[in-house]
Amino acid sequence: MCQNSRGFTLIELMIVVAIVGVLAAMAIPVYQDYVARSQVHRAYAELAAYKTSVEERLSKGQYVISNADLGYVASSVTVAASGDIASFLSDGSGSLQVTIGGSVSSTVSGAQVSILRSVSGVWSCDIDESGAGAWKSFYMPRGCF
């Protein structure tokens, strides 16, 4: 009697399920880190988009800049830290600041993103991660400290 085997045995299927489970256990945390990183980068990019509008107003001598002047609208990853996101002095120095919040990962929620302008007009980035849940240096955009 010749017996042809067709399909997979139960042991073979269990091995495949175990391998997929191990791969998923390694991949899910890495994926979540990349999601959190992309949310931080998105918050920074949204805030950086207002630099041009700020420069325009500062060149006209307007140092009190409201959210309405900038056209700021809170997104799903940013909220205004307190009141207006722009705060500038008469010498042109100041900052744009938002808090990462809304529908973001709990590891980055609460971090404050600031883009600072010096008197000479040089912009720099600062992220205060003390309010975030489990911040990793991996989340930091290039050029920020």
Side-chain angles (χ1 to χ4, degrees):
M1 257 202 273
C2 185
Q3 202 174 21
N4 289 337
S5 64
R6 294 191 172 178
F8 299 102
T9 65
L10 182 60
I11 302 265
E12 291 170 333
L13 291 175
M14 289 173 56
I15 290 171
V16 169
V17 168
I19 291 171
V20 169
V22 168
L23 291 174
M26 292 186 313
I28 289 173
V30 172
Y31 172 75
Q32 290 172 337
D33 279 347
Y34 275 100
V35 167
R37 181 178 187 210
S38 69
Q39 291 168 339
V40 172
H41 283 250
R42 179 178 164 197
Y44 170 74
E46 287 178 4
L47 189 59
Y50 297 111
K51 290 192 303 188
T52 305
S53 184
V54 166
E55 286 291 345
E56 178 184 352
R57 282 171 173 65
L58 291 176
S59 70
K60 294 178 181 176
Q62 182 182 355
Y63 300 105
V64 178
I65 304 171
S66 70
N67 289 347
D69 292 338
L70 293 174
Y72 172 74
V73 177
S75 71
S76 61
V77 296
T78 64
V79 293
S82 61
D84 292 327
I85 65 168
S87 174
F88 289 90
L89 301 174
S90 60
D91 63 1
S93 65
S95 67
L96 294 166
Q97 183 176 13
V98 293
T99 301
I100 298 175
S103 58
V104 297
S105 171
S106 61
T107 58
V108 298
S109 181
Q112 290 186 343
V113 180
S114 301
I115 299 180
L116 311 167
R117 185 182 188 277
S118 68
V119 176
S120 60
V122 177
W123 291 91
S124 62
C125 172
D126 179 38
I127 297 184
D128 178 12
E129 65 272 0
S130 62
W135 185 268
K136 296 179 183 176
S137 61
F138 169 74
Y139 303 146
M140 195 73 70
R142 289 187 186 198
C144 288
F145 53 92

